[in-house]
Amino acid sequence: MTASEAPAVEIRGLAKHYGPVRALDGVDLTVEHGSVFGFVGPNGAGKTTTLRVLLGLARADAGSVRVFGGEPGAMRRRIGFLPDVPGYYSWMRADEFLRFAGSLFSLDSDTLEARVRALLDMSGLGGVNTRIGGYSRGMRQRLGIAQALINAPDLLLLDEPTSALDPIGRKDVLDMIAELRGRTTVLFSTHILGDVERVCDHVAVLDHGRIRAVGPLDEVVSRHAGAQRVVVQLDGDAGDLAERLAGETWVETITRALPTASNGGDLVEIATDDIPRARRRLPVLVAELGAGLVRFEVRQPSLEDVFVSLVTAEPDPGRAERRPAESEGNGR
Ligand code: ATP
């Protein structure tokens, strides 16, 4: 296999300790060319450490890392990177900053000018004359991605590119990432699962330095989401229903949603593999309680279901299985 046919990223058995902390504990990960790959995990899972090893900025204790079939250090010119806390020269304008970033790659002046123009256009910063110091966070992130693309990389690594952004800023950044699909392989870390569902075709879930699930997004969701979900809404308090459901053998878990302006409260979400039984049994229970059934809905599993089942699966005295649990539901 030649270097150009090799996967964009191939990680095998990667391990790294920081003193007693096992940051990476045998990570295996393959990112194929052209994919937009979401690397998700809770705080401290090891996402940044993995990206740092991929960039040749951190040394692993064990395992192997290949970028386009070669050593990460040797492939550095084919990689673009946006760190989680990027640094900027606040007195520069966007075009000046991009020229400065490009100068680090010894591009000829025509190529550099063409790329600066194209990237200003792509990031929506073309007509902006404000200095970077006056930018919103969203504008800074868009400039950060533009800067990471100045060397026309084949692989773009982004460390939590949307975590501090408002919804408009997030949308703009996600649109930029989506525009790269098929042209540049993108690997971005995040704990915002909705972002992955919006733009990624592949996903890996990392927790405590281990990959818990990896593959095409729809396959990961269908394989790991666990039981199906039924959302039930009553016309009154759902506490009694939750109590009754706790005694039903076909019910795996019950989650109650706290009232919000949109759901009006009274929502119960049930995980079960027996939907036909749920259809028959729930109306009976609701009638026995003298309540009215406002909604009965079988919900599609989501990446959040995968994340919750894989990442919080360890024994935790604070979590109760098969008992009504209260969460800040949003009435999904
Ligand atoms: P976050 O979402 O919070 O950025 P992360 O998934 O990127 O988290 P890492 O930053 O890779 O996780 O950290 C993984 C583990 O390694 C954590 O327990 C962290 O405290 C530890 N760690 C990371 N860098 C260092 C360091 N330089 N020195 C000591 N411990 C470190």
Side-chain angles (χ1 to χ4, degrees):
M1 184 180 275
T2 66
S4 63
E5 291 169 323
V9 171
E10 198 165 25
I11 295 175
R12 291 287 168 264
L14 194 65
K16 175 146 186 82
H17 293 75
Y18 290 106
V21 176
R22 216 183 277 179
L24 299 177
D25 190 14
V27 169
D28 292 324
L29 187 68
T30 302
V31 179
E32 297 294 350
H33 287 267
S35 55
V36 178
F37 199 107
F39 193 37
V40 308
N43 292 130
K47 303 181 296 294
T48 300
T49 303
T50 305
L51 295 182
R52 285 175 55 77
V53 173
L54 270 175
L55 284 156
L57 297 174
R59 193 181 289 271
D61 299 333
S64 71
V65 177
R66 290 281 178 275
V67 176
F68 301 114
E71 290 290 333
M75 294 294 160
R76 190 64 189 87
R77 295 182 74 85
R78 296 181 65 184
I79 306 175
F81 177 52
L82 177 64
D84 54 350
V85 186
Y88 297 101
Y89 295 113
S90 59
W91 65 89
M92 286 185 182
R93 292 189 318 264
D95 60 323
E96 293 169 328
F97 184 71
L98 291 178
R99 276 189 205 96
F100 164 74
S103 69
L104 305 176
F105 290 94
S106 334
L107 303 173
D108 68 70
S109 60
D110 287 351
T111 305
L112 179 57
E113 271 320 297
R115 285 203 192 148
V116 168
R117 291 292 140 217
L119 289 169
L120 286 173
D121 206 30
M122 182 190 182
S123 58
L125 297 170
V128 178
N129 281 319
T130 318
R131 296 187 189 282
I132 297 169
Y135 277 18
S136 68
R137 281 184 173 169
M139 293 164 81
R140 280 170 188 251
Q141 285 303 77
R142 282 185 277 138
L143 177 60
I145 294 176
Q147 164 273 130
L149 290 168
I150 196 74
N151 57 324
D154 297 311
L155 172 65
L156 180 63
L157 303 178
L158 308 170
D159 196 0
E160 303 199 11
T162 57
S163 58
L165 302 184
D166 65 24
I168 303 285
R170 273 176 63 199
K171 182 184 178 314
D172 290 343
V173 165
L174 293 175
D175 286 349
M176 262 185 103
I177 293 172
E179 226 179 287
L180 295 168
R181 187 188 312 281
R183 288 194 279 156
T184 306
T185 306
V186 182
L187 172 60
F188 78 89
S189 74
T190 184
H191 42 71
I192 305 175
L193 305 175
D195 288 359
V196 174
E197 289 179 316
R198 272 161 74 170
V199 294
C200 293
D201 40 65
H202 285 69
V203 65
V205 179
L206 185 76
D207 184 36
H208 288 92
R210 285 172 169 246
I211 300 286
R212 308 285 174 177
V214 62
L217 179 59
D218 49 354
E219 278 181 28
V220 166
V221 171
S222 61
R223 202 180 325 133
H224 295 281
Q228 289 182 286
R229 268 71 174 179
V230 176
V231 179
V232 179
Q233 183 172 11
L234 301 188
D235 61 359
D237 184 79
D240 290 344
L241 178 64
E243 291 287 332
R244 293 286 296 273
L245 285 166
E248 297 277 318
T249 52
W250 53 276
V251 173
E252 288 192 17
T253 59
I254 308 151
T255 310
R256 281 191 68 193
L258 295 177
T260 66
S262 62
N263 71 22
D266 310 314
L267 279 179
V268 176
E269 185 169 295
I270 302 154
T272 178
D273 277 328
D274 197 345
I275 297 291
R277 196 147 172 209
R279 286 192 209 284
R280 289 194 305 274
R281 188 73 185 127
L282 266 162
V284 175
L285 290 173
V286 173
E288 283 175 7
L289 292 168
L293 187 58
V294 176
R295 175 148 70 115
F296 178 99
E297 181 184 316
V298 179
R299 176 173 73 70
Q300 290 301 314
S302 67
L303 187 58
E304 183 179 303
D305 298 322
V306 175
F307 194 86
V308 168
S309 75
L310 294 178
V311 170
T312 58
E314 292 172 33
D316 179 345
R319 280 177 61 80
E321 287 294 314
R322 294 202 38 76
R323 280 195 285 118
E326 297 223 327
S327 71
E328 287 196 40
N330 55 12
R332 288 169 311 170

